[in-house]
Amino acid sequence: MAATYEVVTPPTSVMTVGPDDVCNYTDSRPTLHVGSSGSAVRQAQCYLNQAIGADLDEDGDFGRVTQAATKDFQRCADIVVDGIIGAQTWSFLSFWANAPGAPFC
């Protein structure tokens, strides 16, 4: 039996998928923990505020309050609860923060 192939024409314009990001401090997604600082922490704090109504100051300082909010979010999202914002937490945070109906917990 001979295989059949379909010719696919690439799009002629850039297509945007999903909503604009609600937080615009940075696109960087490094691993964050107590002691981290900078624009990625501000991004995470903004996402936590949007996703669970954490009411964090978006000051770029990952201290104990941000760690506690991170753990609250991780529990709510039913993911590993370690207070560290790594790849899995970033993925869930960005999705939840930008989802209609946020905050969720």
Side-chain angles (χ1 to χ4, degrees), residues 53-97:
D55 198 30
L56 297 170
D57 289 335
E58 294 172 19
D59 60 6
D61 177 28
F62 197 119
R64 297 290 176 198
V65 175
T66 300
Q67 181 186 45
T70 300
K71 287 181 178 182
D72 289 345
F73 172 76
Q74 290 169 329
R75 274 190 283 280
C76 180
D78 197 26
I79 58 177
V80 174
V81 179
D82 58 7
I84 296 170
I85 300 178
Q88 181 184 46
T89 302
W90 273 119
S91 177
F92 277 74
L93 265 178
S94 62
F95 179 80
W96 283 36

Side-chain angles (χ1 to χ4, degrees), residues 10-87:
T12 57
S13 63
V14 176
M15 298 177 66
T16 304
V17 178
D20 291 332
D21 200 327
V22 297
C23 303
N24 292 307
Y25 291 105
T26 184
D27 290 334
S28 176
R29 301 291 184 264
T31 298
L32 303 174
H33 49 80
V34 171
S36 296
S37 62
S39 59
V41 175
R42 283 189 173 97
Q43 186 79 16
Q45 290 167 329
C46 180
Y47 279 163
L48 288 163
N49 287 339
Q50 294 294 319
I52 63 169
D55 198 30
L56 297 170
D57 289 335
E58 294 172 19
D59 60 6
D61 177 28
F62 197 119
R64 297 290 176 198
V65 175
T66 300
Q67 181 186 45
T70 300
K71 287 181 178 182
D72 289 345
F73 172 76
Q74 290 169 329
R75 274 190 283 280
C76 180
D78 197 26
I79 58 177
V80 174
V81 179
D82 58 7
I84 296 170
I85 300 178

